[in-house]
Amino acid sequence: MSQLLELFPPGSAVTADGTLTIAGCRAEALAAEFGTPVLVVAEEALRARAREYSTELAARWPRSRVVFASKAFPCTAVQRVMVEEGLGLDVAGSGEIRTALKAGVDPALIVLHGNAKSVDELTLAVEHGIGLVVVDGPDDVDRLEELVPRGGNQDVLVRVIPGVTADVHAHVMTGHEGSKFGLSPSAAGELIARIERSDRLTMRGVHVHIGSQILDTQPFADSVAPVAALGEFEIYDLGGGLGARYTYSDHPPTVGEYLDALIGAARQHLPAGAHVVIEPGRSMVASAAATLYRVTTVKRGAHTFVAVDGGMGDNLEVALFAQRFEAGIVDRLDAPGGSVAGTRPSPEQVIVVGRHCESGDVLIDGIDLVAPAVGDLLAVPATGAYCFTMSNNYNGARRIPVVFANDGVARLVVRRETWEELSARDVE
C-alpha cells in the first residue's frame, strides 16, 4: 500500500475502511459528485511544490525567479495558484497568454515561447506588455520589429541549442543538435548581434531547455556552459525538464538535488550578478493530481482487459511517448500486491485500456489489481502534467472536469464539457 500511496498527491491516505482519500476527500464521494472520469488536484500539494521551488532556488541564487511552464497544466485555476505563490508564468501561444492574464499574473512576469509564433500571438504579447519573448529564430525578430511601435521596446531572450542529449523519449527531447527549437550557438551569436543593433528590441539574455521527464541531474549542469560561452547577459533562463515520479521504479532527483547541479554549474560559468530563471512544469504538477475512472468492462481470456470510461481522450502521455502509470482500485488499495490474511483473492495481472477506438488506447500495460469488476472506481496517480492540456474529443468524448480538493472540501474549477459544446463550432 505504501508504495502505491506514495505516487498519489501528498496528503493522500487510506481510511480505516480501506478507501482512498485525496486531500481529505473520499474518492468515491468525488466520483459521485463530479462524475467520472475526473481529474482531482490536491491544492495544498500544488502550493507546497511552488513554495519549495521558490525557496530552494532563492537559497542558491538570490537574483532568480521561478516561472511555471503553463503548458504542463494550463488550467486558469492552476496558473492562479502559481501567481498567488509568487511565480511567473511561461506560456506558449495565444490561449496560454489569455489564461495567464485571466489568472491575474503581472504581464511583466510572463515568458513567451514557441518555435513558430504567429503575428497574432506576437501582437498580443506586445499589446499586453509581456515581459520576455524568447525568440526562436530570425523570423521572430522580423515580426517583432514590425509589430513594436516606433519608440517602443520589447525585451527578448534568444533560445540556444546546447547540444546536450538527455536520456529521455525522443518526443520530449529538445536540447540535441537537430532540435526544432532554438538555434545552434553560432547562429544564436549572429542573431544576438542583430538584436543588439535593433532600436525596438532589447537583448536581455539567452534561454536553454533540454527536454522533459529527465531523471538525471548531469544533463542540466552540462547545458549551462554552452550558453555561457555566448557572452555575459543580464538574464540566463535555464529552462525546466526535471522528471516526476510516475511509477514504483522512478526515482527523480529532489528539487534540491536538481538545483545543486544546475546552480552549481551556474556559479562556475555565469556572471555572479546575472538573473537566473528556471521553468519547472511537469515536476511542479504531476504528483499533485490523480484521475478517477469507472470500470465499464472486464474481459478475461489470453489477457485480462479492464476497460474504463476514459483513456487517450484525457491522457495522451502513454500513446505519445510510452509513459508508464500505476493504479489501484480505490477501496482495495490495502492489497495492491497481494491478499490480506486470505480475506481477499490474490491480485491478477491486467491491462487497463480506455474506451477509444484505437488499439493504442492503453493506459497501463500490465498491472496487478485485486478482483477488478464492473463498477469499480480506479484511481491513476501522477496525472497532473500534460493530461489536461492534451485532452481531446476523440470519438466524441467530452473533456473531463478538474476538481480542487483541500482539507476535505472539493470544488469544481473546470466543468465537464457539455454535449452542446461538441457541435458549438459547426456552421451547418
Side-chain angles (χ1 to χ4, degrees), residues 323-374:
Q323 179 58 58
R324 165 78 188 187
F325 288 85
E326 308 290 354
I329 299 170
V330 301
D331 60 357
R332 298 198 279 288
L333 290 187
D334 57 346
S339 61
V340 178
T343 59
R344 287 181 180 158
S346 296
E348 59 182 308
Q349 186 166 88
V350 307
I351 300 172
V352 179
V353 298
R355 61 169 297 275
H356 302 284
C357 293
E358 291 289 342
S359 294
D361 184 23
V362 176
L363 283 173
I364 309 169
D365 188 359
I367 187 173
D368 287 346
L369 294 179
V370 177
V374 172

Side-chain angles (χ1 to χ4, degrees), residues 25-350:
C25 297
R26 291 174 67 94
E28 280 285 7
L30 291 167
E33 181 175 358
F34 301 106
T36 57
V38 58
L39 183 58
V40 181
V41 179
E43 182 179 355
E44 182 51 37
L46 198 64
R47 292 184 182 277
R49 190 64 158 175
R51 292 192 292 268
E52 179 185 14
Y53 259 105
S54 294
T55 301
E56 295 283 349
L57 178 61
R60 290 164 175 79
W61 195 283
R63 292 200 71 225
S64 60
R65 178 170 296 280
V66 180
V67 175
F68 170 58
S70 295
K71 63 183 179 291
F73 201 160
C75 164
T76 306
V78 171
Q79 291 176 309
R80 185 174 295 116
V81 164
M82 302 304 178
V83 172
E84 290 171 352
E85 295 299 334
L87 276 58
L89 296 177
D90 150 6
V91 299
S94 297
E96 290 181 11
I97 293 174
R98 286 177 164 85
T99 56
L101 295 171
K102 183 180 178 183
V105 71
D106 179 350
L109 302 182
I110 295 179
V111 181
L112 173 63
H113 286 276
N115 69 298
K117 303 179 194 70
S118 69
V119 170
D120 288 344
E121 289 167 351
L122 291 173
T123 299
L124 192 64
V126 171
E127 288 178 346
H128 285 278
I130 298 304
L132 291 168
V133 174
V134 180
V135 298
D136 213 79
D139 294 332
D140 281 348
V141 175
D142 291 343
R143 295 186 183 104
L144 282 171
E145 288 190 321
E146 291 180 1
L147 292 169
V148 175
R150 185 177 299 278
N153 173 76
Q154 176 62 57
D155 291 345
V156 301
L157 306 178
V158 172
R159 181 160 179 169
V160 182
I161 300 172
V164 173
T165 302
D167 184 18
V168 295
H169 194 284
H171 292 177
V172 290
M173 185 188 302
T174 60
H176 60 294
E177 293 182 11
S179 170
K180 77 169 188 175
F181 299 99
L183 298 166
S184 67
S186 60
E190 294 175 3
L191 191 61
I192 288 168
R194 175 185 165 184
I195 294 168
E196 288 174 337
R197 296 191 298 269
S198 175
D199 62 355
R200 302 189 185 195
L201 307 181
T202 299
M203 179 65 200
R204 292 297 186 192
V206 288
H207 175 278
V208 65
H209 181 66
I210 59 174
S212 188
Q213 189 53 13
I214 299 170
L215 302 177
D216 177 19
T217 61
Q218 192 58 48
F220 297 112
D222 293 343
S223 71
V224 178
V227 294
L230 288 167
E232 293 195 3
F233 303 101
E234 177 186 348
I235 299 172
Y236 294 84
D237 188 329
L238 303 180
L242 179 63
R245 190 177 186 209
Y246 287 86
T247 74
Y248 305 135
S249 60
D250 288 337
H251 299 288
T254 65
V255 171
E257 290 167 342
Y258 155 69
L259 290 174
D260 281 344
L262 185 69
I263 300 304
R267 291 197 189 101
Q268 183 178 356
H269 297 290
L270 302 184
H275 191 93
V276 168
V277 177
I278 62 170
E279 300 173 348
R282 185 187 302 275
S283 63
M284 184 79 79
V285 295
S287 65
T291 304
L292 303 179
Y293 298 97
R294 191 68 68 183
V295 174
T296 58
T297 303
V298 178
K299 291 195 293 188
R300 291 179 171 88
H303 301 283
T304 297
F305 291 102
V306 175
V308 297
D309 55 359
M312 64 191 302
D314 57 81
N315 186 343
L316 268 177
E317 288 219 297
V318 185
L320 282 181
F321 52 92
Q323 179 58 58
R324 165 78 188 187
F325 288 85
E326 308 290 354
I329 299 170
V330 301
D331 60 357
R332 298 198 279 288
L333 290 187
D334 57 346
S339 61
V340 178
T343 59
R344 287 181 180 158
S346 296
E348 59 182 308
Q349 186 166 88
V350 307

